[in-house]
Amino acid sequence: MWRGSIAYAVLERIQSFPARSKAPIVVTLILTLTLVTFAQTKPRARDLGVPFDGTPGANNAITDVKGVEVGHTTLILGSGKLEIGKGPVRTGVTAIHPRGKTSNDAVFAAWFTLNGNGEMTGTTWVEDSGFLNGPVMITNTHSVGVVRDAVIAWKVKHGTPDMEGYWWSLPVVAETWDGWLNDINGFHVHAEDAFHALDVAHSGPVEEGNVGGGTGMVCNEFKGGIGTSSRVLDAKAGAYTVGVLVQCNYGRRDQLRIAGVPVGKEIPDHPAYGKSDDTGSIIVIVATDAPLIPTQLKRIARRVSLGLGRDGSYSGDGSGDIFLAFSTANPGAVGTKGLHQLTMLPNDSLDPMFLATVQATEEAVVNAMVAAETMTGVDNHEVIALPHDRLREILRKYNRLQTGVR
């Protein structure tokens, strides 16, 4: 799926270039696809021996919640000096369908902002109605508008009104800023890129790192991007699944902690920005199949903050830390006629859900950094990947390396 996303993104752009310019781009595409094939087999955080609490689902991804699908469009073009409108381009779009791309059934949802220096459209209606109707999209800061409009066009094309019968939409589109690596003012994300992310969304393993909306993102001054994780509760807690997906673009190097270890202080070289403030943002989406109503989902969304705290975030003034949680239980709840019979967990049964959210958030961020690869973008800004070997050495130094792993 990811290979198709990148091929689509590059080939679409090639068509508009002069013939003399196409050959080197085709070569770049071939090299990119080769790297993608390799990337699909690269390790995740647990494979490196990073210890995490809790039991993950089969894919250790948000898609372990039945029905959830994730798709990406990844845009990588050009190099060298920034020329606004031309590149370099390091950006994209990520789409999350709560019940799959063919469903028109809204889900109970809630959102929470830990620090508001960011954007997530559509949240005022999520707050008032308690429902999320349609996909959640994530992109860069200056592409929110085009992606929002594209979602409406995509829904109109599919020819069905919302569950209440109205031909209208208030899409949820979130952002983080990728201007350190991407020509963000060149507006390289187009409607067709959003359409593609929506159309290629799939269940199963989720592509991580330099993909989709996370393509040009930076996390703790290492390369960041998309990451995901999940937790399955034990049988006595209902055997429910909690899945988390992050687009991480936040944090200071010296604050990064992995498995309780001050990894950022141990690897101080090659910081991305070279300044002391917390630059960037993070979007976190939490999915669960547990029967929760919006007030309970609001409580779940707040717990994301504690997972980020485990990784060293203090949610700085310049960081937009915005979270949304939804439940795929109670299908048909948004219907307009008659009484609705709903199920919900009692509040005193939520502790395992809270803990699972914290654990999955902590791991999703680390998975994003482990999957990401070193990237050079505008004006030759280079952001290094979290070095796997050094991470293992540091965990071993602090007696935190999980044994039995390569």
Side-chain angles (χ1 to χ4, degrees):
M1 287 291 188
W2 186 41
R3 178 183 299 186
S5 297
I6 290 185
Y8 159 86
V10 177
L11 288 173
E12 283 290 306
R13 298 302 186 262
I14 289 174
Q15 302 310 313
S16 64
F17 287 8
R20 64 180 179 276
S21 302
K22 293 182 181 180
I25 297 173
V26 172
V27 172
T28 300
L29 172 60
I30 293 170
L31 292 174
T32 300
L33 296 182
T34 302
L35 290 173
V36 171
T37 302
F38 172 77
Q40 290 171 333
T41 62
K42 62 189 174 185
R44 303 180 76 191
R46 287 174 181 256
D47 300 322
L48 298 180
V50 180
F52 295 105
D53 297 326
T55 302
N59 298 296
N60 195 12
I62 193 171
T63 49
D64 288 324
V65 178
K66 185 178 179 180
V68 176
E69 296 177 346
V70 177
H72 304 294
T73 298
T74 301
L75 306 178
I76 300 175
L77 285 173
S79 61
K81 182 177 175 57
L82 171 63
E83 294 185 63
I84 295 177
K86 295 183 179 180
V89 180
R90 306 285 187 271
T91 194
V93 185
T94 292
I96 304 166
H97 294 280
R99 298 191 193 275
K101 67 179 76 66
T102 62
S103 175
N104 192 34
D105 190 0
V107 292
F108 279 136
W111 76 295
F112 174 71
T113 175
L114 179 62
N115 194 68
N117 196 346
E119 178 66 281
M120 181 182 282
T121 68
T123 49
T124 51
W125 186 232
V126 169
E127 182 77 15
D128 266 15
S129 70
F131 287 107
L132 167 66
N133 190 347
V136 177
M137 310 294 286
I138 319 177
T139 187
N140 75 64
T141 307
H142 292 178
S143 296
V144 169
V146 68
V147 171
R148 176 194 177 278
D149 291 350
V151 173
I152 298 174
W154 185 86
K155 294 183 74 173
V156 169
K157 180 181 178 182
H158 283 70
T160 53
D162 67 18
M163 290 292 288
E164 296 177 90
Y166 296 111
W167 290 91
W168 71 299
S169 181
L170 293 171
V172 173
V173 182
E175 55 76 28
T176 59
W177 182 81
D178 58 14
W180 187 251
L181 291 169
N182 175 53
D183 173 21
I184 192 170
N185 291 323
F187 307 112
H188 297 281
V189 173
H190 300 160
E192 59 266 26
D193 302 318
F195 298 157
H196 187 255
L198 289 160
D199 288 336
V200 302
H202 57 90
S203 58
V206 174
E207 303 84 353
E208 299 177 294
N210 303 354
V211 295
T215 300
M217 304 304 169
V218 181
C219 188
N220 296 288
E221 300 185 77
F222 290 113
K223 187 66 188 67
I226 299 293
T228 189
S229 184
S230 69
R231 292 295 183 274
V232 178
L233 277 57
D234 60 30
K236 66 181 180 181
Y240 299 113
T241 300
V242 175
V244 169
L245 183 140
V246 305
Q247 180 165 297
C248 59
N249 188 55
Y250 76 97
R252 281 171 41 178
R253 175 74 65 83
D254 63 355
Q255 295 300 305
L256 172 62
R257 304 183 73 84
I258 296 178
V261 173
V263 171
K265 291 181 178 178
E266 293 279 353
I267 311 177
D269 42 307
H270 297 97
Y273 307 115
K275 54 185 180 180
S276 61
D277 55 342
D278 183 359
T279 299
S281 303
I282 183 167
I283 301 298
V284 183
I285 309 301
V286 184
T288 184
D289 56 6
L292 304 180
I293 61 174
T295 53
Q296 295 172 320
L297 289 163
K298 173 79 80 172
R299 300 180 72 192
I300 293 290
R302 290 192 183 106
R303 267 57 183 190
V304 167
S305 309
L306 301 176
L308 298 181
R310 289 187 175 191
D311 291 324
S313 171
Y314 61 88
S315 192
D317 176 69
S319 188
D321 302 342
I322 307 175
F323 323 134
L324 184 144
F326 64 81
S327 167
T328 60
N330 290 302
V334 79
T336 58
K337 296 181 179 180
L339 293 175
H340 294 196
Q341 301 297 321
L342 305 176
T343 58
M344 60 173 281
L345 289 176
N347 282 334
D348 63 5
S349 296
L350 294 183
D351 279 359
M353 303 290 301
F354 294 158
L355 181 57
T357 301
V358 173
Q359 292 172 343
T361 300
E362 175 190 16
E363 184 171 359
V365 171
V366 182
N367 277 337
M369 289 189 290
V370 167
E373 299 173 345
T374 296
M375 178 174 283
T376 302
V378 299
D379 294 329
N380 294 313
H381 292 160
E382 182 184 62
V383 181
I384 67 167
L386 176 65
H388 295 181
D389 290 345
R390 292 185 67 181
L391 173 59
R392 286 174 55 81
E393 291 172 4
I394 294 162
L395 292 173
R396 184 178 292 109
K397 171 183 174 180
Y398 286 83
N399 296 315
R400 292 290 286 150
L401 183 68
Q402 185 172 317
T403 58
V405 182
R406 71 173 183 86

